[in-house]
Amino acid sequence: MFLREAVYHRPKQNFAYAADRQTLHLRVRAKRGDLVRADAIVGDKYAWERTAASVPMRLFASDELFDYWETAVVPPYRRLRYAFKLTAEDDTVYLTEKGFADRLAPNPDEFFDFPYINPVDVFAPPSWVKDAVFYQIFPERFANGDPSLDPEDVQPWGGEPTPRNFFGGDLKGVRDHLDHLERLGVNAIYFTPVFEATTNHKYDTTDYMKVDPHFGTNEDLKALVEECHGRGIRVVLDAVFNHAGKTFPPFVDVLEKGAESEYAGWFHVREFPLRIEDGIPTYETFAFEPIMPKLNTEHADVKKYLLDVARYWVEEIGIDGWRLDVANEVDHAFWREFRQTVKAANPEAYILGEIWHDSMMWLQGDQFDAVMNYPFTNAVLDFFAKDSIDAAGFANAIGGQLAAYPQTVTEAAFNLLDSHDTARLLTLCGGSEKRMKLAALFQLTYPGVPCIYYGDEVGMAGGGDPGCRGCMVWDEAGQNAGLLRFYSETIALRRTYGAFRDADIAFLQAERGSGTLVYERRGTDGSRFIVAMNAGVLPAEVSASADSRSWQDAYSGEP
Amino acid sequence: MFLREAVYHRPKQNFAYAADRQTLHLRVRAKRGDLVRADAIVGDKYAWERTAASVPMRLFASDELFDYWETAVVPPYRRLRYAFKLTAEDDTVYLTEKGFADRLAPNPDEFFDFPYINPVDVFAPPSWVKDAVFYQIFPERFANGDPSLDPEDVQPWGGEPTPRNFFGGDLKGVRDHLDHLERLGVNAIYFTPVFEATTNHKYDTTDYMKVDPHFGTNEDLKALVEECHGRGIRVVLDAVFNHAGKTFPPFVDVLEKGAESEYAGWFHVREFPLRIEDGIPTYETFAFEPIMPKLNTEHADVKKYLLDVARYWVEEIGIDGWRLDVANEVDHAFWREFRQTVKAANPEAYILGEIWHDSMMWLQGDQFDAVMNYPFTNAVLDFFAKDSIDAAGFANAIGGQLAAYPQTVTEAAFNLLDSHDTARLLTLCGGSEKRMKLAALFQLTYPGVPCIYYGDEVGMAGGGDPGCRGCMVWDEAGQNAGLLRFYSETIALRRTYGAFRDADIAFLQAERGSGTLVYERRGTDGSRFIVAMNAGVLPAEVSASADSRSWQDAYSGEP
């Protein structure tokens, strides 16, 4: 007998989805350890007898409570009726849409149904994304390449970052240091906002059609993008469409004219005139931040304006995608139109939402290609940085994440370990370079798009905002050369071996109470890598059975 | 200790959704009988300390394995962070996005998140739908009002229906009999296809812009719609957009010219020239039916054509909605555009998909207002018609369905007991009028839109297609007057008392091995009804505790 209550399957989302235009992935969940075998009974609903087949499933992930079984099926006519045969030591039960049954019904009317693989509905991120290694740049703090653009009150490079000070970083600075990025091995940049705004972080946009004058001009950005492309580096900008800034002209107009403003409908105003009462604005904002009025993305004029913005930077400036700020507070309907607009301008543009929570509803093919994968971040930090979970807990957290999304989503997820919104990785690791390296090693050998926050690679530390937004250290004496070498070597490994980018991961050793983790990465090309690490405070001996004598050290190439 | 593996919650879909523009419904699942209490811990993510509250949940549905708890919350700022407190006899555990915990974290970062209620994303079927009682008409078999339109080989009214014969039903016939519909008390008609086609069922469209000449003209339909509206009856047509007919001019062109046809991209052709090999067309079709070539609804010209069709009949002819044939084999992207087109023409149009299986992915606000609720059909038939499940099994099936969808979806679901695609209800009941009445009584006292298949109300019988497509019996001598009275009285009850249309249902008696069912229907206006029925073969005594002396017989009005 196995536990019926633990079994779960519901068509679509992460349990039955088109992995490509021909292939369906089917998954079923059961209590951990309950099943010795699972099979999918599949066929075409209009030709059942001729097409019915039983397909074995594999246990592809586990978390604390559950095992997840999966198989891939290519339906002969793009449609699939299916059931599951679940086998425990002493029990075999069939699962259909109608529930459990001891024997299979003679016809598949009450089986689960995947009605049709329609290409337009298939989740399909740009092909380059799976192979990308991102580098996040906070432009005001990366490099000051043109002091003539500096704000009036600019501080000397390398000073203490505060919420409001400026250090003069600009686009020219980025261009001057592209060699550093090439040497590091990254092939994509995510820039936090570059449009005109009043703050150093630029999340309070004044003009969505103009590069901030302290950073440069639209032409400067275009030239930077072109140079990046020449070096094989893609460029993604930050789209702050949830809210504008207090200097955004339509908002200024509403501030001045109230309900009479022609832009009154562009915002969510609870009460005119706009004001702040007991710390709460009478208009909706990001959080309760008065300088960030929420845009009414259901309003036709607002939609047109923002979609024109989305199109302009892709089409005219040549950027390769958008990172969407506070993406989950904007309506789904807007993002669907946004996707159509952006993909029409460049089908290979990457659409990356900022969502810190469960994101399945944005990752079904009609909205985003990926989200910033903070659940991944948290699991890695809990294990490698904070030592607050053991190897088993970590493997369970990762297993749960693999199961929570389609494989295609996992392979395109944006796996960051820190950002401008968190403390820096080295600081989160309590200053331990060893822990930091293990965390980064996991990140760089895990499916999904790794992103390195500028400066982490040279050993920069820093707490939460504003501490994490310090000036990039360019003086080699202040850089950690060993860490930089580690990053470039590990990025090179990832970019060399497809197995580190493919989805298949198996935890070979992840025990309760242990800090020792051993996992195998398997490539669709048949290659296999074993990664062993000890995140504990004690030395540990790792043993993993390698079933062949042909294993090599991936770093050195030696046996 | 309660069973952790049985607990389920994932944001959005049927577990956390906007019931209207202000209100969120939160649900959580647990093993049946495990919890004595459940609470939602809720608050605003940016003002947690000031807004946090604990809200008790109620057990609103159960199925064989699980209990489902629900509560409604009005977030102060349209966004909600939440967790659940689950209380068993001897165990209290908190559930957050991160899993189970013995105590609640001090901040809600790892709680579940409903980021924002954006009105455009809220599932909101037309307001009239909840109060509708539908009547399905198969036009070729309802009434022959204008013999001059008859096909050449028309058969005498009342003959044996075959897959290919004609009896001359037409729009004039419907118009002649609107009094019957008014007396019956229905206030909406769903017509199977009325556009020009070669078959009697018209599912093989020749011309989507033209009423079939054997039924009348576009003007006739417009006049019929206007007369229906004058009588308070709405009209829904059948949109057969998955596939066209073999006489559809673009398909004829492709048949003739092959890959050279300008319409070659309108269909899914595996191999030119179009032909049938071993019973399988070389082009995709509905099932393997050569006369029903599948339309390529991703092709821009096809989309434009079909969306023009969708708009024309709503805007020019005045229909109140579309029933979508084989809806789940058409791409989601098409249906999203279809919704925008139709709702722009008439925001109160009803969009009803034909889906026989789990339909959650089409019922999230961006596609359909409802689906044809065959899981409901099957449960009712299993219990009332076939006696293949007992009262407990029936209550579990219904409970599972209530839990599987948002309440707003349940209230707009199209609850049919038979159709042109199934045997007739009386025949499914083995000819038992008593069983048929109980099934219809349940249908008419259950949330969701009941639909009566033409002729059921006068006692027509008939097996699966073509048997269920017989000519409507208009001779009063051939009608079952008692059944007709039962239908009109029960429809009147439903239309009089909102409690029968509101979602709240509780099973008071539904035992294993029993055919006796007692349930209470509770209205949002505070009214309550108890329905007791015995679907078993033995007489049964029903006792239900009524907590007040003010109960009346709803049919007679007597105490």
Side-chain angles (χ1 to χ4, degrees):
Chain A
M1 279 289 287
F2 60 86
L3 186 68
R4 304 286 197 271
E5 287 86 351
V7 173
Y8 189 85
H9 176 84
R10 190 169 198 182
K12 299 242 172 175
Q13 296 206 334
N14 50 319
F15 278 92
Y17 59 88
D20 58 39
R21 291 170 176 219
Q22 287 78 43
T23 313
L24 290 180
H25 285 186
L26 305 178
R27 294 176 175 176
V28 67
R29 189 189 83 175
K31 178 176 161 71
R32 184 163 183 156
D34 254 8
L35 302 187
V36 295
R37 181 186 173 100
D39 299 88
I41 315 295
V42 303
D44 185 83
K45 58 188 161 188
Y46 302 119
W48 184 256
E49 295 191 5
R50 178 162 65 76
T51 58
S54 177
V55 184
M57 307 182 77
R58 75 184 182 103
L59 202 174
F60 82 101
S62 301
D63 59 21
E64 192 183 347
L65 299 179
F66 304 108
D67 285 336
Y68 301 88
W69 298 74
E70 180 183 64
T71 194
V73 179
V74 176
Y77 306 105
R78 296 167 68 183
R79 52 203 179 202
L80 198 75
R81 205 51 73 79
Y82 60 96
F84 298 103
K85 182 182 177 187
L86 308 176
T87 307
E89 286 286 357
D90 55 354
D91 196 9
T92 295
V93 167
Y94 294 91
L95 177 71
T96 70
E97 192 169 75
K98 224 182 167 181
F100 297 101
D102 290 335
R103 66 188 66 183
L104 210 55
N107 76 61
D109 286 354
E110 290 174 347
F111 287 18
F112 295 106
D113 192 49
F114 195 99
Y116 225 84
I117 303 178
N118 286 297
V120 69
D121 294 332
V122 176
F123 174 85
S127 53
W128 60 269
V129 166
K130 191 181 161 190
D131 301 323
V133 178
F134 264 83
Y135 188 80
Q136 179 185 347
I137 292 178
F138 189 89
E140 222 282 313
R141 304 294 159 76
F142 189 65
N144 187 343
D146 183 352
S148 77
L149 305 178
D150 288 358
E152 278 187 18
D153 50 352
V154 72
Q155 310 284 307
W157 196 258
E160 179 76 12
T162 73
R164 297 179 191 281
N165 64 359
F166 291 86
F167 291 95
D170 51 36
L171 297 181
K172 175 71 163 51
V174 177
R175 226 174 142 178
D176 291 345
H177 289 285
L178 289 178
D179 284 350
H180 173 74
L181 271 62
E182 266 199 279
R183 277 194 299 267
L184 182 58
V186 299
N187 54 11
I189 302 172
Y190 150 45
F191 283 106
T192 58
V194 298
F195 305 150
E196 187 173 28
T198 70
T199 56
N200 55 35
H201 53 70
K202 309 293 175 199
Y203 279 102
D204 59 321
T205 316
T206 303
D207 187 343
Y208 287 88
M209 295 297 268
K210 184 179 167 195
V211 166
D212 191 282
H214 298 304
F215 291 170
T217 64
N218 292 14
E219 291 64 41
D220 291 338
L221 181 62
K222 186 169 184 169
L224 173 61
V225 168
E226 281 166 7
E227 183 161 351
C228 284
H229 286 176
R231 292 169 182 255
I233 295 172
R234 288 186 168 81
V235 176
V236 167
L237 296 190
D238 207 321
V240 190
F241 288 0
N242 175 67
H243 54 266
K246 68 173 180 187
T247 51
F248 181 55
F251 184 69
V252 173
D253 200 72
V254 179
L255 267 179
E256 284 171 5
K257 301 180 191 156
E260 304 303 309
S261 165
E262 62 176 306
Y263 300 103
W266 282 44
F267 304 93
H268 299 268
V269 181
R270 279 192 286 263
E271 213 181 299
F272 290 101
L274 306 193
R275 60 194 186 280
I276 294 142
E277 287 189 344
D278 299 330
I280 313 287
T282 66
Y283 51 97
E284 294 180 27
T285 59
F286 169 70
F288 296 102
E289 178 52 72
I291 73 163
M292 294 179 175
K294 184 171 170 67
L295 285 159
N296 180 3
T297 42
E298 297 187 22
H299 190 288
D301 295 343
V302 177
K303 274 202 288 194
K304 184 180 179 317
Y305 176 78
L306 293 177
L307 296 178
D308 282 347
V309 170
R311 187 186 306 108
Y312 169 77
W313 297 95
V314 175
E315 231 168 51
E316 302 296 325
I317 306 300
I319 66 164
D320 301 285
W322 286 107
R323 178 265 189 189
L324 314 170
D325 190 53
V326 198
N328 56 351
E329 299 192 15
V330 175
D331 56 279
H332 292 285
F334 176 81
W335 291 131
R336 289 192 190 99
E337 287 194 52
F338 175 87
R339 182 182 187 84
Q340 289 179 353
T341 302
V342 168
K343 297 285 179 175
N346 178 4
E348 288 284 288
Y350 185 40
I351 298 176
L352 167 65
E354 184 203 15
I355 302 186
W356 294 56
H357 288 265
D358 186 280
S359 306
M360 191 67 254
M361 294 308 293
W362 290 266
L363 295 168
Q364 325 224 35
D366 57 326
Q367 294 168 64
F368 304 161
D369 295 317
V371 295
M372 299 183 80
N373 195 359
Y374 281 107
F376 167 86
T377 316
N378 293 335
V380 171
L381 295 179
D382 284 349
F383 180 60
F384 293 103
K386 302 178 194 165
D387 202 15
S388 63
I389 56 174
D390 57 20
F394 178 66
N396 288 339
I398 293 295
Q401 292 177 26
L402 291 169
Y405 295 100
Q407 177 187 316
T408 40
V409 168
T410 295
E411 290 178 344
F414 193 83
N415 294 337
L416 69 171
L417 295 181
D418 55 356
S419 74
H420 64 293
D421 281 330
T422 71
R424 281 188 177 272
L425 180 56
L426 183 56
T427 301
L428 290 163
C429 290
S432 161
E433 187 182 322
K434 180 204 150 201
R435 287 186 172 281
M436 180 179 176
K437 283 179 172 174
L438 292 180
L441 177 61
F442 188 83
Q443 175 196 33
L444 290 164
T445 56
Y446 187 73
V449 182
C451 180
I452 293 147
Y453 186 51
Y454 81 95
D456 280 1
E457 77 279 16
V458 295
M460 282 175 67
D465 171 19
C468 57
R469 301 175 180 185
C471 297
M472 176 71 181
V473 175
W474 291 114
D475 178 0
E476 285 188 15
Q479 295 185 337
N480 181 331
L483 191 60
L484 182 54
R485 196 175 327 111
F486 166 82
Y487 265 100
S488 31
E489 285 176 0
T490 312
I491 290 170
L493 269 187
R494 177 183 184 83
R495 293 187 57 186
T496 304
Y497 300 107
F500 294 123
R501 303 177 319 254
D502 292 334
D504 197 347
I505 181 169
F507 290 99
L508 305 180
Q509 193 178 319
E511 305 296 326
R512 278 272 159 245
S514 164
T516 303
L517 186 76
V518 183
Y519 55 96
E520 187 181 47
R521 297 286 285 115
R522 293 179 285 224
T524 53
D525 60 0
S527 66
R528 301 167 72 173
F529 291 82
I530 288 177
V531 183
M533 45 176 80
N534 174 18
V537 288
L538 300 171
E541 194 167 298
V542 167
S543 73
S545 64
D547 58 2
S548 141
R549 288 179 164 264
S550 63
W551 291 88
Q552 294 183 334
D553 182 308
Y555 277 104
S556 67
E558 284 166 14
Chain B
M1 278 290 288
F2 59 86
L3 187 67
R4 303 287 197 271
E5 286 86 349
V7 172
Y8 189 86
H9 176 84
R10 191 170 197 180
K12 300 243 172 174
Q13 296 206 333
N14 50 319
F15 278 93
Y17 60 88
D20 58 38
R21 291 170 175 220
Q22 287 78 44
T23 314
L24 290 180
H25 286 186
L26 304 179
R27 294 177 176 176
V28 67
R29 189 190 82 176
K31 178 176 162 68
R32 185 163 183 157
D34 254 8
L35 302 188
V36 295
R37 180 187 174 100
D39 299 88
I41 316 296
V42 303
D44 185 83
K45 59 189 160 189
Y46 302 118
W48 184 255
E49 294 191 5
R50 177 162 67 75
T51 57
S54 176
V55 184
M57 307 182 77
R58 75 183 183 102
L59 202 174
F60 83 101
S62 300
D63 60 21
E64 192 184 346
L65 299 178
F66 305 108
D67 284 336
Y68 301 89
W69 298 75
E70 181 183 66
T71 195
V73 179
V74 176
Y77 306 105
R78 297 167 67 186
R79 52 203 180 203
L80 198 75
R81 203 54 70 80
Y82 60 96
F84 298 104
K85 182 182 177 187
L86 309 176
T87 308
E89 286 287 357
D90 55 355
D91 196 10
T92 294
V93 167
Y94 294 91
L95 176 70
T96 71
E97 191 169 74
K98 225 183 169 182
F100 298 102
D102 291 333
R103 64 188 66 184
L104 210 56
N107 77 60
D109 287 353
E110 289 173 349
F111 287 17
F112 295 107
D113 192 49
F114 194 98
Y116 224 84
I117 303 177
N118 287 297
V120 70
D121 293 333
V122 176
F123 174 84
S127 52
W128 60 270
V129 166
K130 190 181 161 189
D131 301 323
V133 178
F134 264 84
Y135 189 78
Q136 179 184 347
I137 291 178
F138 189 90
E140 222 280 314
R141 305 292 159 75
F142 188 65
N144 187 343
D146 183 353
S148 77
L149 304 179
D150 288 358
E152 278 185 20
D153 49 352
V154 72
Q155 309 285 306
W157 196 257
E160 179 77 11
T162 72
R164 295 180 193 280
N165 63 2
F166 292 87
F167 291 95
D170 51 36
L171 297 181
K172 175 72 165 48
V174 177
R175 222 170 146 179
D176 291 345
H177 289 285
L178 289 179
D179 284 348
H180 173 74
L181 271 62
E182 266 199 279
R183 277 196 298 268
L184 181 59
V186 299
N187 56 10
I189 302 172
Y190 150 45
F191 283 106
T192 57
V194 298
F195 305 149
E196 187 172 29
T198 70
T199 55
N200 54 35
H201 52 69
K202 310 292 175 199
Y203 278 102
D204 60 320
T205 316
T206 303
D207 187 343
Y208 287 89
M209 295 299 268
K210 184 179 168 195
V211 166
D212 191 281
H214 299 305
F215 290 170
T217 64
N218 291 15
E219 291 64 42
D220 292 338
L221 181 62
K222 186 168 185 170
L224 173 61
V225 169
E226 280 166 8
E227 184 163 349
C228 284
H229 287 175
R231 292 168 182 255
I233 294 173
R234 287 187 168 81
V235 176
V236 167
L237 296 190
D238 207 321
V240 190
F241 288 0
N242 176 66
H243 53 267
K246 69 172 178 186
T247 51
F248 181 56
F251 184 67
V252 173
D253 201 72
V254 178
L255 267 179
E256 283 171 7
K257 301 180 189 156
E260 303 303 309
S261 165
E262 62 176 304
Y263 299 103
W266 282 44
F267 304 93
H268 298 269
V269 181
R270 279 192 285 263
E271 211 181 301
F272 291 102
L274 307 192
R275 61 193 186 279
I276 294 142
E277 288 189 344
D278 300 330
I280 314 287
T282 66
Y283 51 97
E284 294 181 27
T285 60
F286 169 69
F288 295 101
E289 178 51 73
I291 73 163
M292 295 180 174
K294 185 171 169 67
L295 285 159
N296 180 3
T297 42
E298 297 187 22
H299 190 287
D301 295 344
V302 177
K303 274 201 290 193
K304 184 180 180 317
Y305 175 78
L306 293 176
L307 296 178
D308 282 347
V309 169
R311 188 187 305 109
Y312 169 77
W313 297 94
V314 175
E315 233 168 49
E316 302 296 325
I317 306 299
I319 66 163
D320 301 285
W322 287 106
R323 179 265 190 189
L324 315 170
D325 191 54
V326 198
N328 57 351
E329 299 192 14
V330 176
D331 56 278
H332 292 285
F334 176 82
W335 292 131
R336 289 192 190 100
E337 286 195 53
F338 175 87
R339 181 182 188 84
Q340 289 180 352
T341 301
V342 168
K343 297 284 180 175
N346 178 4
E348 287 286 286
Y350 185 40
I351 299 176
L352 166 65
E354 184 203 15
I355 303 186
W356 295 55
H357 288 265
D358 187 279
S359 306
M360 191 68 252
M361 295 308 293
W362 289 266
L363 295 168
Q364 324 225 34
D366 57 326
Q367 295 167 65
F368 305 161
D369 295 316
V371 296
M372 299 183 81
N373 196 0
Y374 281 106
F376 167 85
T377 316
N378 293 336
V380 171
L381 295 178
D382 284 350
F383 179 58
F384 293 103
K386 302 179 194 164
D387 202 16
S388 64
I389 57 175
D390 57 20
F394 177 66
N396 288 338
I398 292 294
Q401 292 178 25
L402 289 170
Y405 294 101
Q407 178 187 315
T408 40
V409 168
T410 295
E411 290 178 345
F414 193 83
N415 294 337
L416 69 170
L417 295 181
D418 55 355
S419 73
H420 65 293
D421 281 331
T422 71
R424 280 189 177 273
L425 180 56
L426 183 56
T427 301
L428 290 164
C429 289
S432 162
E433 186 182 323
K434 181 203 150 202
R435 287 187 172 279
M436 181 180 174
K437 282 180 173 173
L438 292 180
L441 177 60
F442 187 82
Q443 176 196 30
L444 290 164
T445 57
Y446 186 74
V449 182
C451 181
I452 293 148
Y453 186 50
Y454 82 96
D456 281 0
E457 76 279 16
V458 296
M460 284 175 66
D465 172 17
C468 57
R469 300 175 180 186
C471 296
M472 175 70 181
V473 175
W474 291 114
D475 179 0
E476 284 188 17
Q479 294 186 337
N480 181 333
L483 191 60
L484 181 55
R485 195 177 325 112
F486 166 82
Y487 264 101
S488 33
E489 285 176 1
T490 311
I491 290 170
L493 269 188
R494 177 183 184 85
R495 293 188 56 186
T496 304
Y497 300 109
F500 294 124
R501 307 183 308 260
D502 291 335
D504 198 346
I505 182 170
F507 291 98
L508 306 180
Q509 194 178 320
E511 305 296 325
R512 277 273 159 242
S514 165
T516 303
L517 187 75
V518 183
Y519 55 96
E520 188 180 49
R521 297 286 285 115
R522 293 179 286 223
T524 53
D525 60 1
S527 66
R528 300 167 71 175
F529 291 82
I530 287 178
V531 183
M533 46 176 81
N534 175 16
V537 289
L538 300 171
E541 194 167 297
V542 167
S543 73
S545 65
D547 58 0
S548 141
R549 287 178 164 265
S550 63
W551 291 88
Q552 294 182 335
D553 183 310
Y555 277 105
S556 68
E558 284 165 14

